């Protein structure tokens, strides 16, 4: 059985990583608060948390969720409407996992503050996603199918130093 009644959680300052499937299928979980010490969201940590609308940093009134790594399927099928996302740096050890925000049906806007690269199917089937803004020049590579099935996408602002866009980036 999975947690069925947890509605919110505050992750303590001493936690640096959210374990794999830690909150998997917590269907009522709507809010997660965490300090900047959390730097790794492991695979499927919040996967299938259908009510998850908000995850914020305690110390950041204008949250730009900055991590070292976000694992595969980490926020798959959550309910956030807007996300501000960043990696601490764009090195090989810092990454967005495949499908990490896929199937987020309520997601309408994404501001990518720092990325390095966009992973496979990162936002696949986010059917209400309308706007994607890259707020820096650090994203250099876009893997296939990043926006696959994003049928409402009307505006995307790409960074000036982007050097590779893969095939089928916008496949519907």
């Amino acid at each position: 059985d999975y947690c069925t009644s947890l509605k919110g959680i505050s992750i303590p300052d001493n936690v640096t990583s959210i374990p794999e499937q830690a909150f998997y299928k917590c269907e009522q979980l709507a809010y997660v608060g965490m300090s900047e010490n959390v730097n790794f969201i492991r695979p499927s940590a919040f996967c299938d948390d259908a009510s998850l609308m908000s995850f914020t940093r305690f110390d950041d009134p204008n949250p730009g969720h900055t991590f070292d790594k976000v694992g595969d399927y980490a926020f798959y099928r959550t309910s956030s409407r807007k996300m501000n996302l960043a990696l601490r740096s764009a090195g090989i050890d810092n990454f967005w996992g495949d499908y990490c925000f896929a199937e987020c049906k309520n997601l309408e806007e994404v501001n990518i503050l720092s990325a390095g690269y966009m992973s496979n199917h990162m936002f696949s089937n986010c059917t209400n996603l309308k706007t994607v803004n890259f707020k820096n020049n650090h994203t250099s590579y876009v893997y296939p199918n990043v926006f696959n099935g994003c049928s409402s996408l009307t505006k995307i602002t790409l960074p000036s130093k982007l050097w590779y866009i893969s095939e089928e980036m916008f496949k519907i």
Side-chain angles (χ1 to χ4, degrees), residues 94-109:
N94 302 77
F95 60 83
W96 300 110
D98 293 345
Y99 295 89
C100 59
F101 300 102
E103 304 272 340
C104 293
K105 302 294 185 185
N106 293 330
L107 188 59
E108 295 176 357
E109 180 182 349

Side-chain angles (χ1 to χ4, degrees), residues 52-114:
L52 185 59
M53 295 290 291
S54 174
F55 59 102
T56 60
R57 299 284 193 179
F58 299 134
D59 48 0
D60 188 356
N62 301 306
H65 310 297
T66 304
F67 301 105
D68 289 331
K69 301 173 186 172
V70 176
D72 296 346
Y73 296 92
F75 293 95
Y76 183 78
R77 284 196 286 225
T78 59
S79 294
S80 294
R81 291 195 188 317
K82 179 179 177 181
M83 292 183 186
N84 296 319
L85 305 167
L87 291 177
R88 288 190 210 285
S89 66
I92 191 84
D93 293 329
N94 302 77
F95 60 83
W96 300 110
D98 293 345
Y99 295 89
C100 59
F101 300 102
E103 304 272 340
C104 293
K105 302 294 185 185
N106 293 330
L107 188 59
E108 295 176 357
E109 180 182 349
V110 175
N111 295 302
I112 300 168
L113 311 173
S114 174

